[in-house]
DNA sequence: TTGTAGGCGTTATCAA
DNA sequence: TTGATAACGCCTACAA
């Protein structure tokens, strides 16, 4: 990697002049500009971001903290974030927190040590001091936070929709699978569903679970039908759990959607390829990622940002785990 | 963020001394060490990695270049890489290349600008000059490369296994779905399968496809049964395609695995939750990610590294899209 | 229009 | 055992 000094030498000017042309700042004669540009090309020079970062006390790096990239919902968020950031010449440092405060703090710390200019986090502890004390902007992604910048989907409405669709399609003994109580979004979905079912005067049961993980999804699915064997409509806490529920239902010889209808949440890419394909509540994850990136960039680059809380609408995606509604 | 100067002042020593204690280098009196440590704690000081990086001309950053984190196979690799790197205090800058040379070069460039000390790449162009010209170590992940450090699974053997298992379970009109010709691993799988089928004297057909994407998987599945309606055994190019094939088979009223058996490749987490669950060739993605991280760290920190090419064994995971073999 | 020089936060060399 | 100080590569007053 060539340095600015070498370019200066090659072009027969001072480093200041080189700096001026590459940053397009200050005056520089057309001729010398050309000479410098030639030298830059010649030496294949690109500025050392580290030196820049040291001087300016800020970088083009943004920290992205996700619970677990392995969970099928997050890659889409990550991709959205990354794509948008990339377009604006920012780069992302990735961290998997596993919802652990300790890991989160550690990452935030090293983000800071690397002069990141902002962080996008999908955390359960948005009001933890590790965030509130931060001097750089933070955007909470997939988390509802009122007084801090955030991008999220309307989980509550999603829950309502799921409930509505199920009832409309004739389920009468509905079970809501409630996700981890600590996860705000999971609770939103649950509350929305419960609220709507009550409003409709439908009876329902609740199965409490405490994680979204692959491995445990199967166990819950079994538990579900053990406790509520005659349930005819399941509102799953997310698509993964819905996959497991479908599998268990089939194993028990139930017909889906005839005997039991299932609705997931998230609309991960594979739910369309499931057999039968999964009816679910769609969250525009990729767009949400992009929006979060947009927001953090705005917060970094602009003095004032109007819309600091961006809510995305969710939508019911009708596929094959729910019955056709009679018109 | 406190600086070393502030710590020095607080401890009543010079920055050199502070540097010595935090780096545990050179002599420093026990008493002053304590004073410094107190100051460090007091001010909550952590060294600025950017300044360090500038001086040392290297960072604790490693670039990770993946085709598309959204493809269910990659998050596991990424997680493995990230976990291991994190344990050794390295951080990862993530990039999605979409297999585009242009994007790859751009990322490599900015990685360099940020003083990354190594890159882990899952590229199709390992011998492109952007890699060969690099002065920092590169590990190719999920790509077979003979003369460069790499971590990969034995795709060829995977293909053979898939073929063997299918024949053993009675499929006689097998179709191999061949992935993108440009993708070495896809070709390995294909060749392994073809080779084994020939060896077994089994007849087979080939359906050529040119990407692994979600959206097109369905189209290929349709194409597959249009061209080979009486096929009774499918070796899919990966699990996603297998998902699509299963879906199409069911749609056509075929019974799986009675009428047609299906074998996937990768063993993405959701294939276990599919209904019927997907028989597939397992690649230890997470471990491969970790191994790649181990390898890059070794290449960075050690003068000589013995095992520069690490091959992982694959294994057949028997689930429900293949018949039980008669003993 | 251009160049000099100081400083960003660290580390390492060299004297003291 | 400790402290000045140069240097890493860049940017920006300020001077010329």
């Amino acid at each position: 990697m060539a340095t600015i000094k070498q370019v200066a030498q090659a072009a027969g000017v001072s480093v200041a002049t080189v700096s001026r042309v590459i940053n397009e700042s200050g005056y520089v004669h057309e001729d010398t500009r050309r000479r410098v540009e030639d030298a830059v090309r010649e030496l294949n020079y690109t500025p050392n971001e580290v030196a820049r970062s040291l001087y300016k006390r800020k970088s083009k790096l943004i920290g992205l903290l996700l619970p677990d990239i392995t969970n099928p919902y997050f890659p889409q968020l990550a991709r959205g974030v990354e794509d948008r950031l990339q377009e604006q010449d920012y780069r992302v440092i990735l961290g998997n927190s596993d919802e652990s405060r300790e890991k989160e703090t550690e990452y935030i710390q090293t983000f800071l040590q690397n002069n990141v200019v902002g962080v996008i986090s999908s955390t359960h502890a948005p009001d933890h001091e590790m965030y509130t004390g931060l001097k750089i902007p933070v955007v909470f992604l997939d988390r509802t936070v009122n007084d801090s910048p955030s991008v999220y989907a309307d989980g509550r409405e999603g829950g309502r929709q799921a409930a509505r669709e199920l009832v409309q399609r004739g389920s009468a003994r509905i079970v809501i699978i409630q996700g981890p109580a600590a996860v705000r979004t999971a609770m939103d979905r649950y509350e929305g569903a419960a609220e709507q079912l009550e409003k409709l005067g439908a009876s329902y049961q609740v199965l409490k679970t405490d994680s979204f993980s692959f491995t445990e999804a199967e166990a819950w699915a079994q538990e579900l039908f053990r406790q509520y064997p005659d349930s005819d409509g399941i509102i799953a806490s997310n698509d993964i759990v819905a996959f497991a529920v479908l599998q268990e239902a089939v194993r028990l010889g139930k017909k889906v959607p005839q005997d039991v209808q299932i609705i997931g949440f998230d609309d991960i890419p594979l739910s369309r390829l499931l057999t039968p394909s999964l009816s679910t509540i769609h969250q525009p994850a990729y767009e949400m990622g992009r929006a979060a990136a947009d927001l953090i960039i705005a917060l970094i680059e602009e003095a004032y940002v109007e819309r600091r809380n961006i809510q995305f609408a969710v939508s019911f995606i009708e596929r094959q785990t729910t019955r056709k509604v009679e018109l």
Side-chain angles (χ1 to χ4, degrees), chain A residues 5 105 114 128 137 149 161 171 187 209 237 240 248-249 251 262 264 275 284-285:
Chain A
K5 205 182 286 181
T105 336
N114 284 288
H128 189 285
Q161 283 186 26
S171 284
M187 289 309 282
T209 67
S237 45
I240 296 179
E248 180 66 7
R251 200 180 68 80
I262 301 171
T275 314

Side-chain angles (χ1 to χ4, degrees), chain A residues 239 243 267-280 317-320:
Chain A
D239 284 354
F243 270 56
D267 193 23
I268 61 176
L270 280 174
S271 46
R272 200 168 50 98
L273 291 182
L274 188 63
T275 314
S277 56
L278 184 66
S279 295
T280 189
I317 305 289
E318 175 170 28
R319 287 200 276 247
Q320 301 169 339

Side-chain angles (χ1 to χ4, degrees), chain A residues 88-101:
Chain A
Q88 300 294 310
D89 294 323
Y90 286 93
R91 294 294 175 267
V92 3
I93 306 190
L94 177 70
N96 292 100
S97 71
D98 287 321
E99 315 280 14
S100 135
R101 296 284 172 284

